[in-house]
Amino acid sequence: AILDLGLTLEYLETKGVPVLGYNTDKLPAFFTRTSDFKVDYNVKTPLDIAKIVKAKRDYHLEGGVLVTNPIPEEYSLPAEYINAEIDKAIAEMEAKGIRGKDETPFLLAKIVELTGGKSLEANIHLIMNNAKLGALAAVEYAKLRK
């Protein structure tokens, strides 16, 4: 329900998916700029991302590439704050016996409620920031293919 970053990184490694951090050595989380986990490579530009993706495709390497991009600083929530709110939401979910496919919608709605909408605003800016970086990397990739 709430992403287990360590387990996710372990799974990606077994599948041969490199984890790139855009101008970061630490894996960003959804509501904060960093976590306790390291990325495989720190990439500095959209061109760097494009070159890595192109090389992976040129050499017919299986799997994708995960590009992680920190939330803009002004929208990042303090880790202690958001983690405490997530813990409260999980405790309530467990107390109510919510399981399976109902977990994620409950937790996301509860976290929005507990943070007074701050988590939703942070997540929206994360998505917009990711779309911007994805577009810039796509342009660079298209140039490399010519």
Side-chain angles (χ1 to χ4, degrees), residues 124-136:
I124 288 169
H125 286 284
L126 173 65
I127 292 166
M128 290 174 21
N129 201 40
N130 287 345
K132 178 182 174 184
L133 179 59
L136 293 170

Side-chain angles (χ1 to χ4, degrees), residues 44-65:
K44 302 295 185 190
T45 67
L47 178 59
D48 292 339
I49 295 167
K51 286 178 179 178
I52 291 168
V53 170
K54 185 173 184 308
K56 195 157 168 95
R57 289 184 177 167
D58 286 350
Y59 290 104
H60 306 286
L61 299 174
E62 295 296 319
V65 175

Side-chain angles (χ1 to χ4, degrees), residues 59-137:
Y59 290 104
H60 306 286
L61 299 174
E62 295 296 319
V65 175
L66 176 61
V67 179
T68 64
N69 184 18
I71 187 170
E73 183 122 22
E74 62 269 26
Y75 301 105
S76 180
L77 299 175
E80 303 78 26
Y81 166 73
I82 192 61
N83 290 337
E85 300 307 319
I86 290 169
D87 289 344
K88 288 178 196 173
I90 291 171
E92 185 174 331
M93 177 189 73
E94 290 172 352
K96 290 183 174 184
I98 297 170
R99 301 266 182 260
K101 66 178 183 172
D102 296 327
E103 289 181 15
T104 299
F106 174 83
L107 287 173
L108 291 176
K110 189 55 147 175
I111 293 165
V112 169
E113 177 187 321
L114 291 170
T115 63
K118 291 177 189 169
S119 63
L120 179 60
E121 181 180 1
N123 208 239
I124 288 169
H125 286 284
L126 173 65
I127 292 166
M128 290 174 21
N129 201 40
N130 287 345
K132 178 182 174 184
L133 179 59
L136 293 170

